Amino acid sequence: TFSKEHGEIASAARGEAKAAVVATIGAAFPEHAILGAEAGAGEAQDASPYKWIVDPIDGATNFAHGYPHCGVSIALAHGTDVTHAAVLDPMRDELYTAVHGKGAQLNGAPIRVSACTHLEEALVGTVFPTRGSKRLEGYLPVMTAVMKRCAGLRRAGACSLDLASLAAGRLDG
């Protein structure tokens, strides 16, 4: 059962994971900016053309509940272009990487998106607006319409892993 203690443990783990990522990137690239869900002291200034985008625990609610679908997401942007990205799924020991113009890989092997072209055959991943979001009411009719047409709709709770699954052809849309 989820408790306040689980939430506190998950929050501490997220902070420790972010600190480790920031320390590692900061040591290798001290002139780069590091962005994350929570800005912290010691991060590089916004003046750098290089910006690391970090989500130390994507799927934090899953993590806090012990649901095994969460990951680590890191990307590097130069100006407005994302040039490099990595998503780690520690539960499956899978590392997705991508370099702009050079494709994507899963554990070092090239991956491709699905060849599925018909919605009726497609397994589709999605996210839901949060329960307090003003967007939820408008989202529900769209979700219903898609559910009626596709082979299946999945909401797993870790966006970076959903996008990695799309890149690997595990999701069709």
Side-chain angles (χ1 to χ4, degrees):
T1 309
F2 184 78
S3 69
K4 183 178 178 186
E5 183 177 314
H6 287 133
E8 291 169 358
I9 291 169
S11 180
R14 183 179 178 87
E16 290 175 19
K18 183 178 182 203
V21 170
V22 167
T24 301
I25 293 171
F29 304 100
E31 70 283 2
H32 292 190
I34 303 171
L35 311 174
E38 311 84 22
E43 293 180 10
Q45 299 296 322
D46 286 334
S48 175
Y50 292 97
K51 293 185 176 37
W52 292 88
I53 302 123
V54 175
D55 189 346
I57 302 180
D58 180 29
T61 300
N62 288 349
F63 180 80
H65 284 265
Y67 186 74
H69 190 74
C70 53
V72 179
S73 175
I74 302 173
L76 175 63
H78 182 246
T80 59
D81 296 323
V82 175
T83 59
H84 298 76
V87 174
L88 174 66
D89 181 346
M91 306 301 173
R92 296 173 60 124
D93 195 26
E94 293 182 336
L95 177 63
Y96 298 86
T97 56
V99 176
H100 183 75
K102 296 189 178 182
Q105 297 184 341
L106 169 55
N107 290 340
I111 55 176
R112 300 189 70 76
V113 296
S114 166
C116 180
T117 59
H118 295 56
L119 184 58
E120 293 74 22
E121 299 168 3
L123 183 62
V124 177
T126 189
V127 297
F128 297 152
T130 59
R131 66 178 157 206
S133 173
K134 295 176 183 174
R135 296 180 178 158
L136 183 60
E137 189 174 322
Y139 176 84
L140 294 175
V142 174
M143 183 186 77
T144 300
V146 171
M147 284 179 68
K148 288 180 180 179
R149 295 201 48 213
C150 70
L153 187 66
R154 301 291 181 265
R155 193 270 190 197
C159 220
S160 63
L161 293 180
D162 293 347
L163 292 171
S165 291
L166 180 66
R170 293 175 176 168
L171 289 173
D172 302 303

